[in-house]
Amino acid sequence: MKPRDLLYTARDVLRDMLRFDAAADAVLSRLFRAKPQLGKTDRQILADTVYQVLRHLRLFQTLAATDESIGGAMELRLAILGWSGNAQSLHAALSPEQLDWRKRLLAQDAMALPEAVRWSLPEWLAAALQANYGAEYPALAQAMLRPAPLDLRVNVQKTRREAVLDVFARLNLPAQPTPYSPWGVRLEGKPALQDLTVFREGWVEVQDEGSQLLAVLLAPRRGEMVVDFCAGAGGKTLALGAMMRSTGRLYAFDVADYRLAKLKPRLLRSGLSNVYPVAIAHERDERVRRLAGKVDRVLVDAPCSGLGTLRRNPDMKWRQKPEDIAELRTKQASILQSAATLLKPGGRLVYATCSILPEENSGIFNAFLAAHPDFERVPADTVLRQQGVDGEGLVTQGDLQLLPNRHATDGFYAAVLQRRPTSSDRGEADATLSD
Ligand SMILES: C[S@@+](CC[C@H](N)C(=O)[O-])C[C@H]1O[C@@H](n2cnc3c(N)ncnc32)[C@H](O)[C@@H]1O
């Protein structure tokens, strides 16, 4: 497609996207399905341009409103400001007046603008981040404006990290081991993974290093009975299954069939045979009740605002509203409550979100512990150390707290609890030990 036509396509996509009635990636997928003639480079330019606009939406809208000399719809002017093709395509896409306008506006001194405009945050979210992160708020807000790196998880069921790094070195694709996860590889750039044998053969999966650490924290063992309560498309399920070396039973629960369906091809690639996807109607489903008191480990990767993933999903900051958070909190508390009933005495649960709002995180977890004296917090740094991960700097008040500005991961929270062993279990354990 000619760069100028691409610019107008970006305008049309933005018109759709800025209604915020569907996720940005769904809007893009719909477009790509409708226009199969779009080549790889065109798709990349379109995606990068509209995501750049979503990231900087408030700033770009403010800048565009200060100078209307080039005319055209707001969405066109936003696409001009966000254009993310190379210099050649930029010159081919824009008229000389548009080029001048873009240059002038992007050169403006943004320091004169309020922080929430500069960092393109809705007022309510800027206020919440400032209240919760204080002096760290500017670094956090700015880190969330940068695109995320491409992290992969090496499937230890099939290979080792060194072998994967060797393959990338031979392909001349710069890659580094991630600093915290024992299975993480960080790629420079965004190669088309689907074309690579390492991906097709199930040696690697795309997964942010932070997500990998949630699996590390659950630390499931061979032969155990494990439940991934909100498994979705199974990103963490696959990591857990590999940790269990494809032994035991790993149930992947979710209320969304269509998400679980996406797990199937990934499972095939992974080589795991210990995973059992189960669609449940809600968190108190009969299939959940049947496992009460029988499970060794449970992961609750709870539905949340997703505000820790703004580097990848910048539309979330415009789509979420304070009243959505209140609704999510009720759901999170209810899921945690049900999921905890699955645990055997001595069993462990990890409650996690990709939110950076404490009310979805420690707020839910601490309230659960306060109301349930038969459960206790397990310090996350202890578990990480046992798993060979240096938890220094990863743990705040006993729980894992990852932030893009500190750890170059998405924002994640994860806390571990254990069901206290009953006195008869302790007796049994003592008897076993003294035998
Ligand atoms: C954060 S996502 C999970 C992502 C997934 N664990 C992964 O690693 O790809 C939260 C998931 O919770 C699911 N969910 C929402 N309500 C639920 C409920 N009551 N019980 C179980 N799962 C639920 C959603 O369908 C969604 O897939």
Side-chain angles (χ1 to χ4, degrees), residues 229-236 254-256 259 280 283 301-303 331 335:
F229 205 96
C230 304
K236 294 169 196 83
D254 204 285
V255 290
R259 291 208 173 102
I280 55 173
E283 60 275 20
D301 186 18
K331 188 41 89 186
I335 292 178

Side-chain angles (χ1 to χ4, degrees), residues 207 211 228-237 253-256 258-259 266 280-284 299 301-304 331 335 353-354:
Q207 190 168 43
S211 275
D228 185 358
F229 205 96
C230 304
K236 294 169 196 83
T237 314
F253 286 176
D254 204 285
V255 290
Y258 69 95
R259 291 208 173 102
R266 301 175 85 186
I280 55 173
H282 47 73
E283 60 275 20
R284 291 172 310 283
L299 174 63
D301 186 18
C304 71
K331 188 41 89 186
I335 292 178
T353 74
C354 55

